Amino acid sequence: MQALQLEGNSIAAVGALALAEALRRNSGLREINLNLNQIGDNGIASLADGLTQNVALRVLHVGGTGIGDAGAIALSESLQVNIGLQELTLSRNRITDIGANALANALQQNTALRRIDLTLNSIGTKGIAALVNALRTNKQVVELSIGYNSPQSDDGELTSASYKHEETEALLTQLNAALLRNNLHEQREKQEGGSFP
């Protein structure tokens, strides 16, 4: 079996712990789809621990699973050492600038991850800036989706203070430029018979 499609199965942190154990021993599984489950921060922390010892998994979908900043931080720590994961879906979660900053730090060391989906979270200008900064050195990421983020204040209200339109537009322009550079780099590597898959 190369793919586990478990989307929308009410899997919680305990189920994620069992999957993490399997990740530690499995060398054939290439994709896990856990979108729309309830694994939360504890579940993604378990999976992240499993990822530190797994180089086979290429795709992990954990969108709409209740992951917040604590989960993003745990995942970021594993991404600093994981050399297999290439695609990561974290859309429809509760990740803020704090989690985005942790992911950005991981991207400065990770050389495998190529596609990241962070749409529909709560990432503001500071988080976007951290991601853009990471892509100044990371040449592997060719797709980073961050649309439809709604930054919130501590009381859960939308806040314009953390999401400045003009600054965000400038950051998105920089992000697109970095992604274009990485895509051109990928095409050049493929033409020269380089290391891209």
Side-chain angles (χ1 to χ4, degrees):
M1 175 185 322
Q2 290 193 344
L4 267 177
Q5 299 297 328
L6 301 169
E7 183 172 358
N9 276 295
S10 301
I11 296 170
V14 174
L17 179 60
L19 285 170
E21 287 298 321
L23 277 177
R24 287 185 187 93
R25 293 179 296 232
N26 190 300
S27 62
L29 192 60
R30 299 287 184 254
E31 177 179 350
I32 298 176
N33 183 345
L34 286 169
N35 285 340
L36 303 175
N37 282 287
Q38 294 118 25
I39 65 170
D41 288 337
N42 291 334
I44 195 63
S46 295
L47 287 171
D49 188 49
L51 281 174
T52 60
Q53 300 170 36
N54 182 294
V55 296
L57 192 70
R58 298 290 183 257
V59 179
L60 179 60
H61 298 294
V62 286
T65 55
I67 297 170
D69 291 331
I73 290 167
L75 185 58
S76 297
E77 291 169 359
S78 73
L79 289 175
Q80 292 180 24
V81 296
N82 180 278
I83 58 170
L85 195 65
Q86 296 176 0
E87 183 176 337
L88 177 61
T89 301
L90 287 164
S91 61
R92 296 170 292 179
N93 280 301
R94 299 177 290 111
I95 300 169
T96 70
D97 288 345
I98 295 166
N101 190 54
L103 290 167
N105 288 337
L107 288 179
Q108 292 179 356
Q109 296 179 34
N110 183 290
T111 59
L113 205 54
R114 305 182 32 68
R115 288 176 175 74
I116 308 163
D117 184 352
L118 287 166
T119 56
L120 295 166
N121 277 283
S122 298
I123 301 170
T125 306
K126 290 179 182 177
I128 295 171
L131 291 164
V132 167
N133 189 48
L135 289 184
R136 289 192 173 108
T137 56
N138 182 302
K139 305 286 192 271
Q140 305 303 318
V141 175
V142 294
E143 186 178 317
L144 175 57
S145 302
I146 56 170
Y148 302 102
N149 272 274
S150 301
Q152 298 180 350
S153 64
D154 292 337
D155 60 3
E157 294 295 316
L158 282 177
T159 174
S160 60
S162 66
Y163 206 73
K164 301 174 185 112
H165 182 70
E166 298 83 17
E167 186 177 348
T168 302
E169 289 297 320
L171 288 169
L172 292 176
T173 300
Q174 293 173 33
L175 175 66
N176 287 330
L179 293 172
L180 177 61
R181 179 205 64 218
N182 289 356
N183 275 285
L184 292 172
H185 178 72
E186 175 189 41
Q187 290 174 3
R188 199 169 31 252
E189 287 285 322
K190 283 181 180 177
Q191 289 173 348
E192 295 170 2
S195 62
F196 280 93

